[in-house]
Amino acid sequence: MNYDLTTEEKSAKSYLDANLPTIRTNLEDSEKMLYNIQTKINELPRNILISDIKSDLNPDTENLNSLKNTYDRIKEYYDKLDFLNGQSLLSSDLPSKTIDLNSNIRSLDARLKERIELHNKLANQIRSLNGDLNKLSDDATFFETILEFNAIKDELEKLSNKFEGGFFKSYDEISAEISKISQDIDNLANTLSTKKQSLVEEITVSIESDQG
């Protein structure tokens, strides 16, 4: 097919042959990754905070569409054997642009994965707090610290509702509340432990006194 091409056209064709397959592969990879990210996002519960990731997804999608359009125009020229016009559209930085796009999308996917892991980690911590608090219920009633117990329980319920409803602006906010409630539970547990120890000592003294 090269026998009737000018030297300039042969050079342009070689340039296109060297670059178009890589560009096509990169664009196909980007398209698959973006589709997978969007699918993942659509399947997530509404209370996962990913508005920033969604915002960053839009420029990558627009960039992909623009690069695909450029590729399609170049391929059109190529299929018409108009290699010179095809080469003029294939700027020297086009291959690197498709590589950069892939890198950006991979970074976005990694951020989404980390965000989901963080969300699940905090959800587990809230569940653990509920379990830790419930263990203190009987002792709190017995030692008449039920007001403190109920105050912590109310705070934990508010946190759970805020988290499950997605009524928060950042995960740092949730993490800070978890830390505070965890400390409150620890303080109550220590108070109850001290009261238990005092009771044991009183009983021991009483028994020894009776025996004496």
Side-chain angles (χ1 to χ4, degrees), residues 13-212:
K13 182 178 183 298
S14 295
Y15 179 75
L16 294 172
D17 286 339
N19 287 283
L20 284 180
T22 300
I23 293 171
R24 183 186 68 243
T25 298
N26 289 341
L27 292 176
E28 287 173 349
D29 288 346
S30 290
E31 193 165 26
K32 289 175 186 174
M33 286 189 291
L34 278 177
Y35 174 80
N36 289 337
I37 291 173
Q38 190 61 63
T39 300
K40 200 181 296 182
I41 287 175
N42 291 340
E43 293 173 349
L44 290 175
R46 291 183 180 181
N47 65 323
I48 294 189
L49 201 65
I50 51 170
S51 56
D52 57 321
I53 294 177
K54 285 182 178 179
S55 295
D56 291 342
L57 189 64
N58 293 331
D60 285 338
T61 302
E62 291 172 3
N63 193 13
L64 173 62
N65 291 335
S66 175
L67 291 172
K68 280 176 62 181
N69 183 53
T70 300
Y71 172 83
D72 289 342
R73 288 168 61 201
I74 295 170
K75 190 65 169 62
E76 204 172 300
Y77 278 125
Y78 186 96
D79 291 342
K80 292 177 180 177
L81 307 184
D82 189 350
F83 304 119
L84 293 178
N85 274 322
Q87 182 184 33
S88 69
L89 279 180
L90 204 164
S91 59
S92 59
D93 63 346
L94 184 59
S96 64
K97 282 182 177 179
T98 63
I99 293 172
D100 289 344
L101 176 62
N102 269 356
S103 178
N104 288 342
I105 296 172
R106 285 194 184 92
S107 175
L108 199 64
D109 189 43
R111 282 172 56 202
L112 179 60
K113 182 180 178 182
E114 288 173 4
R115 191 67 55 84
I116 294 170
E117 288 175 351
L118 174 60
H119 182 94
N120 291 337
K121 175 186 172 185
L122 295 178
N124 288 332
Q125 287 179 354
I126 292 173
R127 278 193 289 271
S128 292
L129 288 180
N130 273 295
D132 292 342
L133 183 61
N134 287 335
K135 289 175 185 176
L136 304 179
S137 177
D138 290 342
D139 285 346
T141 301
F142 181 82
F143 288 107
E144 299 180 347
T145 55
I146 199 66
L147 289 179
E148 293 89 335
F149 176 89
N150 285 338
I152 298 173
K153 186 176 181 181
D154 287 345
E155 287 302 310
L156 188 50
E157 285 179 355
K158 287 178 184 177
L159 173 59
S160 296
N161 291 335
K162 177 192 288 189
F163 187 75
E164 293 301 324
F167 306 125
F168 56 97
K169 295 181 180 178
S170 73
Y171 283 103
D172 286 343
E173 173 189 342
I174 297 297
S175 184
E177 291 191 38
I178 287 174
S179 295
K180 180 187 177 301
I181 293 172
S182 178
Q183 186 60 57
D184 289 342
I185 292 174
D186 286 344
N187 291 341
L188 178 59
N190 290 335
T191 297
L192 292 171
S193 178
T194 300
K195 287 179 177 292
K196 269 186 182 180
Q197 185 62 34
S198 295
L199 180 60
V200 169
E201 290 173 0
E202 287 176 13
I203 293 172
T204 300
V205 170
S206 176
I207 291 173
E208 289 175 349
S209 176
D210 290 343
Q211 290 176 343

